[in-house]
Amino acid sequence: MKKFLIELLLVMATGYALGLVLPWWAIVVAGAFSALLAGGRGMRDLFAGLLGGFLLWFLYSLFLWKSTDSNLPYRMADIFPGQLSPVMLTLITGLIGGLAAGFSCWTAGQLRILILGKKK
Amino acid sequence: MRVVAIILLLGITGALVYVLNTRLGSTPAMGPLISPFEGFWQNCEAEAIQFPPNVSIPGLQAPAEVWYDERRVPHVFAQNDHDLYFLQGYVTARDRLFQMEMSTYQAAGRLSEVVGVKALSTDRLFRRLGLAYGAENSMRLAQTDNKTMQVLDAYTEGVNAWIASLSDAEIPVEYKMLGFRPEPWTAMKCILLSKLMAHTLTGKTDDLGHSNVYNTFGPYIYNSLFPDFPDSLEPIIPSGTPYEFEPLRLDTPAAYTPVPVVGKLTYPDVHPNNGSNNWAVSGKLTRSGFPLLCNDPHLELKLPSIWYEVQLSAPDHNVYGVSLPGTPSIIIGFNDDIAWGVTNASRDVLDWYHLELDPTGKKYKYNDEWVETFDRVEEIKVKDSLTVYDTVRYSRHGPIVYDDHFHPGGQAIHLAMRWSAHDGSNELMALYKLNRAHNHAEYRDAIRHFECPGQNFVFACKDGDIAITQQGNFPAKWPKQGHFILDGNNPLHEWQAQIPFEQNPHTKNPAQGFVYSANQIAADTAYPYYLDGEYEHFRNRRIAWLLSHHAPFDTASIRNVQLDVFQLAVTDILPVAMTMLHKDQLSENHRSVLALLDSTYQRAPLARGASEQPVISALWWQELYHILILDDLTGNKIYDLPGSYQVAQLIRSKPDFTLFDDRSTPGVDSLPDLVTRAFKSAADTFLVWKQKHPDESYTWSKLKSFNLPHLAGASLRGFEGRKQENAARWNVDELNVEGTPSCVNAIGKQHGPSWRMIVELGPEPQGWGVYPGGASGNPGSFYYDMMYDDWAAGRYFKLHRYKPGVKDASVKSVQSFTPRS
């Protein structure tokens, strides 16, 4: 469990740090990096990436919206198809971040296992 | 096995990243757009101004400051012209870059580069109209003047300094949606922007439609629908003013019949209501004893607003007003000594010439000889598609806009366009000087540089002078020259001369104590030149009446003139229509509708947003106009439509006018029959609406259904004007919008006063203003549409023209700029 949390936090931390200097796919790199460093646990890599990517992107977008009290998320929600609310937009944001990090993490984790063998 | 799994997972991850990174059709790439690090979340802006307080910029020559007031209007304090316009470019780019780029892409016919093939026909048209050709001519002229180039280059540097500082996250959200990036700004783009304004204000053309009316219906009907103008119409220069100069002599050609034009020629829409009001009232008629000056330009209303408020202060002048994003200086405003404003002159400076081409298509006939065209190949890049090359042939008259390979619909016809916007001119020098003018003589000296689009420049000075000048490059025309398509072969059909500056209509301190203009005709028939144009008939009469009868004025009561919603268009016709109406033929339901047009409304028809009465009179007129005019002027040809004023005149003076008859019914209908038929139809429309909306009133505001779209229109429909109220979607039905395009408060459906300004001259000039929008072009900013409902409600904001170094509580934020070596 602790190792899972470490992997998750690593996704979030590197996702944030790299996100400041790289384009959006920083989260993909963060997922891969975290798995190579602290992963190699099969499905748990997927979940660490999913949750880590989700939390980072969801919380950061929520923060940007709430700390500015800007109308933009309402406007963007109207531009997106369907009857979305700004909260749903933050969740979708998290979902996309999570998927990107999750698959990248899982892939890199498998690579790590291939090279280093499976961890207990 | 694991290797297989890895390959599979790599495939999935790769595909996911690819999909998220790729624009699919018109859907932007989701990864960049939704990432909180670089996507639209980064464009969320707080209300508290968060510009960095200290900025070091390469290119600046000396330290400078920009202050921001409670509406985040920038106030630039610089020590020289270069830094002044540099910073104007910088802050304008920061707030309105997308708008600046889209305007110049449109003017240059380059929309297809960013939008794709759906903009191709618009781009082809704009290329053929020759805006870029005119801009090149203006650029050549600008390059002969050091000061002009210094100003243009400084502004350009400032814009580029801002663009260079943009990170991916900071790029405006529209770019993120549409999938392109800002490109470097050039001095040429400033000039292209002024040509776009020339198109907005002089690009409307009715010559083709007029020719068709003349050809189909003959001279009697044509002259009845489009008469030259009687003296009674309250011209800009008071009737009876003598013109004591020797006019230029013109060679008038023999009478001719213009060619008809078959088929719908496409032409870029220029809004027919583009115009404005302005006036200046002398101290004789004001409480303060100093002049009051007002201006409200009427344009299409979109977000970001077409205007950008700014103060420009340098050691030699201190001016406040509105600017056009994309070009330096202030267009309408006031400084220490003077105030000025503009309305469109509405003179016809765009004429068409029919050309006969030889079989090779490379020569046209002029003066009975064959002359070679010169070609201009327009290269139109199209996003996600092949570049299109369109060859436009130019004649001595101008570009041959319509020819055998560009004539959507109808027969092949060669029409060249002569437009004063094609000429090189330096409007910037006029504005540069006007921004710094101290008195009437300097105002006159400044505006003589202003050539296209011709404007009525109103002026007021703290020493008491008021004045107005219709200034532009106006061709001297023979009677009715420019009404119809002209003969490209006949040298007498060309513009033979330009009216000299001193002979353009102007007046100073007239006896009536005020000057004003609302796009009406400049002068009475004593003026020796033919005033070809399309003029206003309602707003001018109302303004003249109000200014004559409601003196003395102060800054509070003068607002009532700008916000006046009395409908002269209704009093011109309603009494006559009421007498003609066969009331006995009306059903009870129809009578209940008629009763709404009570005697109060008949005496003073106000276009109040919350009232149902303007709806009924509007629907009635719409039906009547359709029955009388529209049913005849339709079909496979373009017809120009007569104005409401003229149709009302005809109803009163020529009730048996043959065109009026409703062709769909046998026999000849009398005008009372048609008026009654129109009323019944209008009343039915009204009643049907009421049935569908049982608990609501069919108010004028509802009929107008005013809205304020983003300039990208429906594709970015979430970016339309709303308010920051509780961060929830604002109900636009709550907005009560008054007025009609022919009222002084000329609000139409998506059109109207794009800026309202009131200035009281004096030792310390005071200004008030408002517009439907805000300083910021960022839909994520509190300042994007902050003044929308204030504008609709008729509220004004105090304008701050700070003295250098003197801050008050309204200064909310300060940025200090220092040069970086």
Side-chain angles (χ1 to χ4, degrees):
Chain A
M1 182 58 188
K2 193 164 111 179
K3 298 199 171 125
F4 174 77
L5 279 177
I6 289 174
E7 193 177 4
L8 184 148
L9 288 171
L10 202 55
V11 170
M12 291 179 71
T14 47
Y16 183 79
L18 290 176
L20 296 176
V21 294
L22 291 177
W24 73 273
W25 39 261
I27 193 68
V28 175
V29 175
F33 174 78
S34 305
L36 289 173
L37 211 63
R41 281 169 226 285
M43 291 288 281
R44 271 184 276 190
D45 293 335
L46 171 65
F47 291 124
L50 274 175
L51 202 53
F54 173 85
L55 284 174
L56 178 64
W57 276 33
F58 166 70
L59 290 173
Y60 193 20
S61 63
L62 192 64
F63 168 76
L64 287 170
W65 169 29
K66 286 300 179 183
S67 66
T68 59
D69 197 22
S70 166
N71 238 357
L72 189 59
Y74 288 91
R75 297 177 177 281
M76 291 304 296
D78 284 341
I79 292 181
F80 275 61
Q83 301 270 48
L84 298 178
S85 70
V87 172
M88 286 198 250
L89 262 190
T90 57
L91 293 171
I92 292 171
T93 301
L95 180 66
I96 290 179
L99 284 173
F103 277 94
S104 160
C105 201
W106 195 14
T107 309
Q110 291 297 310
L111 196 61
R112 185 196 157 104
I113 294 174
L114 185 72
I115 297 170
L116 297 179
K118 197 166 172 112
K119 276 203 171 160
K120 292 290 172 256
Chain B
M1 254 321 284
R2 195 166 298 281
V3 176
V4 175
I6 288 176
I7 291 173
L8 208 62
L9 281 177
L10 261 174
I12 295 176
T13 308
L16 188 62
V17 171
Y18 174 78
V19 166
L20 288 174
N21 202 43
T22 306
R23 188 178 184 84
L24 305 163
S26 58
T27 307
M30 270 302 122
L33 182 66
I34 213 167
S35 155
F37 291 90
E38 74 174 86
F40 71 84
W41 298 104
Q42 285 288 325
N43 298 101
C44 291
E45 243 181 78
E47 183 181 346
I49 301 172
Q50 274 157 2
F51 298 140
N54 294 297
V55 184
S56 122
I57 293 200
L60 212 60
Q61 289 172 2
E65 286 190 350
V66 181
W67 303 354
Y68 301 92
D69 62 29
E70 75 277 17
R71 290 183 299 122
R72 225 195 78 180
V73 173
H75 303 257
V76 180
F77 296 92
Q79 296 181 41
N80 55 67
D81 274 355
H82 171 274
D83 291 351
L84 189 70
Y85 296 110
F86 180 101
L87 285 172
Q88 183 182 13
Y90 184 88
V91 300
T92 309
R94 183 200 54 218
D95 287 339
R96 305 287 192 89
L97 183 59
F98 181 74
Q99 170 190 27
M100 289 163 67
E101 285 225 285
M102 292 316 282
S103 312
T104 47
Y105 274 119
Q106 182 189 3
R110 291 177 58 201
L111 286 172
S112 309
E113 277 181 51
V114 300
V115 164
V117 73
K118 61 186 177 197
L120 184 57
S121 50
T122 306
D123 280 345
R124 273 190 88 187
L125 254 176
F126 266 84
R127 302 282 184 123
R128 282 174 169 264
L129 292 184
L131 273 85
Y133 167 68
E136 285 163 21
N137 289 333
S138 284
M139 180 57 118
R140 262 189 286 279
L141 185 65
Q143 282 163 345
T144 63
D145 183 71
N146 282 334
K147 178 53 78 177
T148 305
M149 286 317 294
Q150 182 197 30
V151 172
L152 288 174
D153 287 339
Y155 187 90
T156 300
E157 276 176 58
V159 174
N160 284 328
W162 172 255
I163 294 176
S165 77
L166 281 175
S167 67
D168 285 358
E170 290 166 321
I171 287 181
V173 66
E174 295 98 332
Y175 290 99
K176 296 178 183 174
M177 295 296 299
L178 295 173
F180 69 108
R181 301 179 67 100
E183 67 172 24
W185 191 260
T186 61
M188 180 59 130
K189 293 188 183 198
C190 297
I191 295 182
L192 271 170
L193 194 88
S194 60
K195 292 302 181 188
L196 187 67
M197 280 314 283
H199 171 74
T200 300
L201 296 174
T202 63
K204 181 170 178 299
T205 185
D206 32 35
D207 309 355
L208 310 180
H210 281 169
S211 298
N212 279 346
V213 174
Y214 186 92
N215 271 298
T216 307
F217 298 101
Y220 175 73
I221 288 185
Y222 178 82
N223 289 327
S224 301
L225 296 178
F226 304 102
D228 290 335
F229 304 96
D231 287 356
S232 60
L233 282 185
E234 309 267 10
I236 296 174
I237 308 305
S239 269
T241 303
Y243 297 97
E244 283 150 355
F245 53 79
E246 192 57 42
L248 304 171
R249 304 184 121 272
L250 302 173
D251 288 320
T252 308
Y256 76 108
T257 302
V259 304
V261 178
V262 178
K264 300 275 185 195
L265 288 172
T266 53
Y267 188 81
D269 286 329
V270 178
H271 204 288
N273 296 336
N274 285 344
S276 324
N277 304 322
N278 66 17
W279 58 85
V281 179
S282 85
K284 291 192 294 190
L285 301 179
T286 65
R287 284 194 208 285
S288 69
F290 287 97
L292 277 169
L293 182 139
C294 299
N295 190 189
D296 59 298
H298 309 152
L299 297 166
E300 282 184 82
L301 298 173
K302 299 185 187 180
L303 289 174
S305 167
I306 199 166
W307 301 108
Y308 181 68
E309 281 176 271
V310 64
Q311 175 182 356
L312 297 176
S313 172
D316 66 340
H317 75 299
N318 184 1
V319 61
Y320 185 99
V322 286
S323 60
L324 285 170
T327 193
S329 83
I330 281 174
I331 317 290
I332 296 169
F334 60 106
N335 60 25
D336 289 325
D337 304 298
I338 72 162
W340 79 94
V342 289
T343 71
N344 203 22
S346 306
R347 294 273 286 272
D348 183 5
V349 293
L350 198 169
D351 285 336
W352 296 89
Y353 290 83
H354 176 240
L355 297 181
E356 185 190 335
L357 262 63
D358 76 346
T360 68
K362 294 211 185 309
K363 295 197 178 132
Y364 64 95
K365 213 185 239 184
Y366 172 74
N367 205 14
D368 291 327
E369 288 175 1
W370 292 106
V371 179
E372 281 210 26
T373 58
F374 62 94
D375 287 355
R376 193 183 155 96
V377 179
E378 299 283 356
E379 181 189 340
I380 307 176
K381 298 197 180 101
V382 184
K383 179 168 151 158
D384 300 331
S385 185
L386 296 170
T387 300
V388 169
Y389 294 91
D390 190 15
T391 304
V392 187
R393 287 166 286 186
Y394 277 65
S395 66
R396 62 181 287 121
H397 306 293
I400 307 175
V401 176
Y402 299 109
D403 58 22
D404 38 18
H405 52 267
F406 188 78
H407 186 141
Q411 91 278 28
I413 187 172
H414 293 93
L415 295 176
M417 184 172 91
R418 174 76 178 103
W419 186 23
S420 58
H422 289 151
D423 302 339
S425 53
N426 189 356
E427 285 71 28
L428 178 56
M429 184 45 60
L431 295 166
Y432 178 89
K433 289 185 169 177
L434 204 46
N435 285 192
R436 290 159 177 73
H438 299 95
N439 52 48
H440 181 263
E442 290 179 14
Y443 143 82
R444 291 281 293 171
D445 181 60
I447 63 176
R448 67 189 310 149
H449 297 273
F450 206 93
E451 301 198 31
C452 184
Q455 298 294 296
N456 302 313
F457 287 86
V458 75
F459 166 88
C461 183
K462 75 179 186 197
D463 64 12
D465 284 337
I466 59 171
I468 195 160
T469 308
Q470 182 165 95
Q471 172 51 24
N473 177 350
F474 302 120
K477 290 183 166 185
W478 33 265
K480 285 209 162 35
Q481 181 180 12
H483 269 233
F484 309 116
I485 298 172
L486 296 159
D487 179 4
N489 184 34
N490 187 343
L492 294 184
H493 279 209
E494 288 183 288
W495 293 354
Q496 296 175 22
Q498 177 183 342
I499 299 176
F501 169 70
E502 288 75 19
Q503 296 183 10
N504 279 334
H506 63 279
T507 188
K508 176 183 173 191
N509 299 327
Q512 68 195 12
F514 61 87
V515 290
Y516 75 107
S517 68
N519 317 115
Q520 78 269 38
I521 198 167
D524 59 16
T525 49
Y527 185 70
Y529 294 107
Y530 182 65
L531 289 169
D532 183 26
E534 191 166 335
Y535 301 115
E536 172 67 23
H537 303 277
F538 303 111
R539 289 181 279 112
N540 57 313
R541 289 152 58 203
R542 182 66 183 162
I543 292 169
W545 191 91
L546 288 169
L547 296 181
S548 307
H549 288 82
H550 286 187
F553 290 98
D554 58 25
T555 56
S557 64
I558 201 92
R559 291 181 195 200
N560 297 330
V561 182
Q562 269 191 346
L563 300 175
D564 182 80
V565 291
F566 187 101
Q567 302 176 82
L568 266 184
V570 173
T571 51
D572 274 2
I573 192 62
L574 190 58
V576 166
M578 285 298 210
T579 50
M580 286 187 181
L581 188 63
H582 294 309
K583 295 188 185 67
D584 48 326
Q585 288 179 17
L586 297 179
S587 71
E588 192 165 319
N589 277 341
H590 287 162
R591 257 180 265 209
S592 69
V593 175
L594 185 66
L596 290 175
L597 299 180
D598 59 15
S599 57
T600 314
Y601 184 75
Q602 290 184 47
R603 229 181 8 253
L606 303 179
R608 289 248 167 270
S611 167
E612 290 189 321
Q613 295 160 321
V615 172
I616 300 166
S617 52
L619 288 174
W620 190 3
W621 178 250
Q622 200 177 305
E623 282 300 325
L624 187 58
Y625 188 95
H626 185 99
I627 290 174
L628 298 182
I629 303 289
L630 272 180
D631 62 339
D632 293 291
L633 296 186
T634 53
N636 190 29
K637 294 185 180 172
I638 355 160
Y639 288 114
D640 200 47
L641 298 176
S644 291
Y645 175 82
Q646 188 51 29
V647 176
Q649 288 270 66
L650 285 172
I651 289 174
R652 293 202 303 270
S653 61
K654 289 183 187 169
D656 300 322
F657 191 54
T658 52
L659 202 68
F660 283 165
D661 180 41
D662 184 350
R663 274 154 229 292
S664 66
T665 60
V668 176
D669 305 287
S670 72
L671 206 45
D673 289 340
L674 299 172
V675 167
T676 308
R677 195 177 301 165
F679 181 78
K680 288 182 184 170
S681 190
D684 284 338
T685 306
F686 184 79
L687 291 166
V688 161
W689 192 97
K690 296 280 280 191
Q691 249 184 339
K692 283 201 193 134
H693 306 85
D695 296 319
E696 289 176 54
S697 303
Y698 197 4
T699 62
W700 179 236
S701 204
K702 284 220 177 73
L703 176 61
K704 254 206 297 207
S705 51
F706 182 88
N707 70 317
L708 191 59
H710 181 270
L711 67 90
S715 54
L716 292 179
R717 90 196 121 72
F719 292 169
E720 81 282 4
R722 309 179 182 185
K723 273 268 304 190
Q724 187 76 11
E725 232 92 278
N726 303 319
R729 184 179 186 142
W730 183 40
N731 185 3
V732 73
D733 281 348
E734 293 160 9
L735 192 63
N736 180 23
V737 183
E738 323 250 88
T740 77
S742 54
C743 292
V744 183
N745 189 3
I747 304 179
K749 184 166 166 60
Q750 246 175 47
H751 191 278
S754 51
W755 167 239
R756 288 195 188 113
M757 182 179 82
I758 296 173
V759 179
E760 180 178 63
L761 280 304
E764 270 314 313
Q766 304 292 312
W768 284 264
V770 69
Y771 63 91
S776 174
N778 177 10
S781 165
F782 179 82
Y783 301 94
Y784 178 63
D785 51 3
M786 66 173 294
M787 292 183 277
Y788 188 11
D789 68 342
D790 295 299
W791 167 86
R795 289 190 284 268
Y796 292 75
F797 294 89
K798 186 80 176 48
L799 306 177
H800 304 290
R801 196 184 63 102
Y802 301 114
K803 287 208 204 327
V806 181
K807 295 187 184 71
D808 62 32
S810 63
V811 178
K812 300 299 181 197
S813 177
V814 173
Q815 279 189 295
S816 299
F817 290 86
T818 46
R820 189 202 308 170
S821 42

